[in-house]
Amino acid sequence: MSGSKIDTKSLLQLVKQATADGKITASAADNIEIWLTEDRYARYAEQVAEHITSEKWKELDDAFWTIIPFGTGGRRGKMYPIGSNAINERTIGESAQGLAEYVKETVSGDLSCAIAYDTRHRSREFAELCARIMVSNGFKVYFLDDYRSTPELSFLVRFKKCSCGIMVTASHNPPSDNAVKVYWSTGGQVMPPHDKQIIDRVMNVQEIPLGVEFDAAVADGKVVICTAETDDAFINAVQQQKFDGPRNLKILYSPLHGVGASAVMPALAADNFKNVAIFGPHKEPSGDFPNVPGHVSNPENPAVFDAIIEQAKTDGSELILATDPDCDRVGCAAPKTMDVTGEWGTFTGNQIGVLLADHVLSERKKGGGLTPEHYVVKTLVTTEMVRRIADSYGVRTCGNLQVGFKWIGGTMDAEGPDKFLFGCEESHGYLVGQYARDKDAAVAAMLLAELAANCKQEGKSLHEKLESLWWQHGYHAERLLNQKMPGSEGMANMQKLMGKFREAPPQSVGGLKLTAVRDYQNDTITTPDGKSSPLNGPKGNMVILDLEDGNYVAVRPSGTEPKVKFYMFSYVPAEQLSLLDAAQEEMEARLDAFEKDLVAFADSV
């Protein structure tokens, strides 16, 4: 078809017939027509036409059945050269252009943007594209010219006092995906009121200016390569969060084929950990994530650690750390006892948060710097054990937050960063210090190493340390269940399910009676007798089912993937603990019962 005029009328007739035959959805047909007929999509019309004439209806339906949302943090999805529901040059370009338009309208003075990227396929290409668009809009761009972490991008925004920032990464998603995360001048992901205003600009982008080539912009000083300078300043900021103590620990670290070696290794070295090795099979930066289970580099998945643990048992390593592809989340494994050749176990995100909270607060208390004005921050779906630990040290907890680390960053600025001690979320995200407004696996890895070294000196394992905290604060067990609901039908079912939880919730879960429904979308608390009262909570599409004896379940649709998330929480107060093993078995059985009932409820929609 190259070189010939596209017969739009005939192509649209083929699309109409395919819709009638059930080969594509009506919404896909509507978006295909837009890409075939509107001038802003002219450069893609030939590719769309080739798909139609080749009858690639499944590919077309996947790529066009909806418009990939620009959520409150950015745009994430499967890469495909064309399509409104795919990550490609157009949808990435719209994201950068929409951001540029809004910042120009909102910010006075010189404009600048920080840009970084991870090891995924096309990440460098998309980063250069974003840089060209921002320069074409009159921005100076500060560019990290190699694979770097998301928290380093957050740091760079603050370091260079940028108007905004763009990180090209899809975090721990499969190799097929990519994304952009958008940052405000605070170094945090965009928040209200900016988020909705940016979304509006993104969805209405017409022209995407590309008036300058990347290399030419570098030569002209409009794109400033600042990698080495930023690396030094970032690692210096991370190591300022360290605490004194023993460093006699052998560590095995995995970047899971991502950017992490650029941040974690220098951070550990700056904290004087000398015996650190990178796990060879995961060392290579690769967007295919070839040597991890299912090619998904997610430290939340215990299976990621299996091969690393086998090496640790043979080489005498005493702690395993692993970070996701953009190095903003950290996972951890350690031997159950002091015998490194014996049984090992991983930690959940909540458990790592508990260990780090106690470590930071304990060390700060030793320094005599804790006051009642100091505070920790967590989200509503992060374990309440963090709050109980904070209470024991006499500091505040800001915990009435929706899911997403941007709310933790926003709370730091609202409450005053000078009194901020620690922020965490259950999905393995942690921050200590004021240098960034996003979670940072480098600082978390450094502090976990310190804690493990302290424990070793005391003759106990990290797992034994966690057990001692359970005895002190009560046994807490949490579990996350992801209920996948893919496709256009899945999105409709997600909405139906959330509606059912609000209007006709289960009266018991796992044998425990429902005591209240907290609806964060409608700001209400409703009891089983139908009485409602106002809810003092952050607005969001989430429902929490309060159950007997301090147990509860949170339900929310994922903001980035087609699934509903169930967060389950069980609890035995410290004064009721007699046998820890028995409590663990009882709570695991309770969580099993929760899961069974929640799946059945979701399947009934």
Side-chain angles (χ1 to χ4, degrees), residues 376-605:
V376 300
V377 193
K378 74 176 197 71
T379 65
L380 281 160
V381 300
T382 302
T383 179
E384 279 291 283
M385 192 170 171
V386 169
R387 183 190 301 276
R388 293 183 173 106
I389 289 171
D391 288 348
S392 75
Y393 284 96
V395 301
R396 296 184 294 142
T397 299
C398 302
N400 201 13
L401 278 67
Q402 282 289 344
V403 176
F405 213 90
K406 69 176 185 176
W407 304 113
I408 295 175
T411 300
M412 289 173 63
D413 289 322
E415 295 287 329
D418 288 345
K419 299 297 184 182
F420 170 73
L421 295 166
F422 176 63
C424 67
E425 59 181 0
E426 53 75 39
S427 54
H428 292 246
Y430 316 96
L431 180 65
V432 178
Q434 303 176 30
Y435 61 89
R437 291 296 183 273
D438 210 345
K439 52 191 178 287
D440 180 17
V443 76
M446 182 184 80
L447 294 170
L448 277 170
E450 289 180 3
L451 176 58
N454 289 350
C455 288
K456 178 183 176 181
Q457 188 174 66
E458 295 168 8
K460 65 172 73 167
S461 71
L462 268 184
H463 291 277
E464 289 164 337
K465 173 65 176 178
L466 180 60
E467 287 178 3
S468 71
L469 293 173
W470 283 330
W471 282 113
Q472 185 179 353
H473 303 287
Y475 181 71
H476 297 66
E478 302 86 15
R479 186 182 298 177
L480 172 62
L481 170 65
N482 291 308
Q483 187 78 358
K484 293 187 177 179
M485 294 185 165
S488 52
E489 184 182 289
M491 294 297 288
N493 285 339
M494 283 166 64
Q495 293 173 2
K496 285 181 193 173
L497 179 60
M498 294 305 297
K500 191 171 179 183
F501 271 113
R502 291 186 168 96
E503 294 151 22
Q507 293 305 294
S508 68
V509 179
L512 297 182
K513 288 180 184 176
L514 180 73
T515 60
V517 176
R518 286 182 265 164
D519 182 354
Y520 288 86
Q521 186 160 277
N522 296 312
D523 300 320
T524 58
I525 303 176
T526 306
T527 51
D529 58 8
K531 293 179 182 176
S532 283
S533 57
L535 172 66
N536 177 24
K539 198 85 168 176
N541 190 7
M542 181 165 71
V543 170
I544 292 182
L545 307 179
D546 286 314
L547 307 169
E548 297 174 273
D549 302 327
N551 298 269
Y552 57 101
V553 174
V555 188
R556 59 177 283 271
S558 169
T560 55
E561 298 169 82
K563 62 189 179 186
V564 170
K565 294 189 167 189
F566 296 110
Y567 304 83
M568 296 166 271
F569 300 85
S570 64
Y571 171 55
V572 181
E575 60 271 18
Q576 294 179 19
L577 275 179
S578 55
L579 291 171
L580 195 55
D581 288 348
Q584 289 175 315
E585 286 182 23
E586 183 184 345
M587 292 307 101
E588 285 304 306
R590 180 177 290 175
L591 292 173
D592 288 342
F594 284 1
E595 185 168 326
K596 181 180 177 183
D597 284 359
L598 291 167
V599 169
F601 190 80
D603 289 343
S604 70
V605 172

Side-chain angles (χ1 to χ4, degrees), residues 45-63:
E46 192 167 297
Q47 284 177 282
V48 176
E50 287 172 352
H51 275 66
I52 293 169
T53 55
S54 301
E55 298 187 356
K56 294 179 179 176
W57 300 120
K58 185 181 186 313
E59 290 88 344
L60 284 166
D61 195 56
D62 288 345

Side-chain angles (χ1 to χ4, degrees), residues 338-404:
M338 295 299 289
D339 179 11
V340 298
T341 64
E343 184 183 0
W344 281 60
T346 59
F347 296 87
T348 69
N350 281 312
Q351 290 167 350
I352 293 172
V354 163
L355 288 166
L356 286 174
D358 186 74
H359 175 61
V360 171
L361 297 186
S362 174
E363 293 295 332
R364 288 293 294 266
K365 185 179 179 180
K366 286 179 192 173
L370 286 188
T371 71
E373 287 74 44
H374 280 90
Y375 65 95
V376 300
V377 193
K378 74 176 197 71
T379 65
L380 281 160
V381 300
T382 302
T383 179
E384 279 291 283
M385 192 170 171
V386 169
R387 183 190 301 276
R388 293 183 173 106
I389 289 171
D391 288 348
S392 75
Y393 284 96
V395 301
R396 296 184 294 142
T397 299
C398 302
N400 201 13
L401 278 67
Q402 282 289 344
V403 176

